[in-house]
Amino acid sequence: MAEPRVAIELSAVVMAPLNGETAVLTVHGPDQTLSGLPAGPFDPASDRTFELALRNFVARQTGLAMGFVEQLYTFGDAGRETPQARTGSAGDDRVVSIGYLALAPAAKAPGAAGAVWRPWSDIFPYEDWRTGRPAVIDEVIAPWLAGWAGGDPARQIRADTLFALNDRAIWRDERVLERYELLYEAGLALEAARDRGQSPSGKGPALGLALRSDHRRILATGLGRLRGKLRYRPVIFDLLDEAFTLSQLQKAVEAVIGQPLHKQNFRRGVERAGLVERTGRIDTATGGRPAELFRRRDETVDQTQTLGLSLPIQR
């Protein structure tokens, strides 16, 4: 029997603004029934670098050229490719995926069939608190996790902490991956039943769109990384046009973190951090009062300035 080999796969979490949402690019899998992230094999014989290989196959699969790209994580758990994520290698190769996060200022129409932009809230609806606490947390997640905990204090504390199930717990938007992994472990995520060869729970669809292989885990890693980065690096500007209003900036941030921000405190924080500067132009297409246009301040102007955003969550 041949020894199993390691096959390297590259996967991309490509995010861009779309109709007031932050959307993620998905593509149909080989069976045309289940979506996933753009992904493809790394060929050491022909691919000079991981990033160039990633850019090339994303362009082939979607017709899009990526801008900002950052390596996320290496996903190498045994069985992570269950059940159908093969990258062209034969046999029982161990599939190791290197994930990347890519950002674009506009969700341009994909130039390839089967490529679709989807709001991340379609995939993680319980992560979207912009209009209040999602009903699915109390109606589906809380009772399911209570049954899973079965009176075990450690399990219940974990559930309470991650999903803010009591008055002492605060929702931490950047803990996307931990929440998804808990739902998977508890058997509530659709992928859990699929990977275990079980019939899916009727509750699973309420938790969002399932993705092939472990791509929802990779997406959770990317969304959590992006939410965390906003607090120490202004990557939000990679999701905006060159000129924007402060309202557009706030809505772009909210569309990433999934929480409403206090308007005046947010604007004061942006001004204190010195992240933007006036363009001297007015936006008359806002649908309301004309608003002043700003642009990202050149980071080389003052290296002592704080680089992150203050995020005053509206509780």
Side-chain angles (χ1 to χ4, degrees), residues 185-205:
E185 181 183 337
L188 187 51
L190 285 171
E191 292 91 339
R194 177 201 67 191
D195 296 348
R196 297 165 188 170
Q198 301 170 349
S199 298
S201 161
K203 304 289 187 180

Side-chain angles (χ1 to χ4, degrees), residues 70-73 101 174 176 219-230 232 235:
E70 175 182 280
Q71 188 170 324
L72 272 177
Y73 191 75
L101 173 66
E174 70 276 15
V176 188
L219 175 56
T221 304
L223 180 58
R225 170 76 65 86
L226 180 57
R227 287 176 168 184
K229 284 180 74 70
L230 292 183
Y232 63 88
V235 290

Side-chain angles (χ1 to χ4, degrees), residues 109-189:
V116 178
W117 289 101
R118 301 178 186 276
W120 58 255
S121 55
D122 285 356
I123 302 169
F124 300 116
Y126 53 85
E127 294 284 342
D128 190 358
W129 290 58
R130 284 173 292 175
T131 58
R133 183 181 177 90
V136 69
I137 291 179
D138 296 317
E139 295 174 1
V140 177
I141 294 175
W144 184 282
L145 291 181
W148 167 78
D152 182 332
R155 282 189 169 192
Q156 192 61 56
I157 289 172
R158 183 179 168 204
D160 292 347
T161 300
L162 288 176
F163 285 95
L165 300 183
N166 59 44
D167 294 338
R168 299 183 301 279
I170 297 175
W171 181 263
R172 299 284 300 277
D173 57 79
E174 70 276 15
R175 301 181 75 173
V176 188
L177 177 60
E178 293 173 79
R179 281 188 285 271
Y180 172 72
E181 289 190 327
L182 174 56
L183 295 177
Y184 184 98
E185 181 183 337
L188 187 51

Side-chain angles (χ1 to χ4, degrees), residues 12 28 77 84 98 104 119 126 178-179 184 206 211 218 220 237 247 269 271 292:
H28 285 314
D77 291 355
Q84 73 277 54
I98 301 175
Y126 53 85
E178 293 173 79
R179 281 188 285 271
Y184 184 98
L211 300 179
I218 296 174
F237 296 114
S247 290
E271 292 172 1
E292 188 173 8

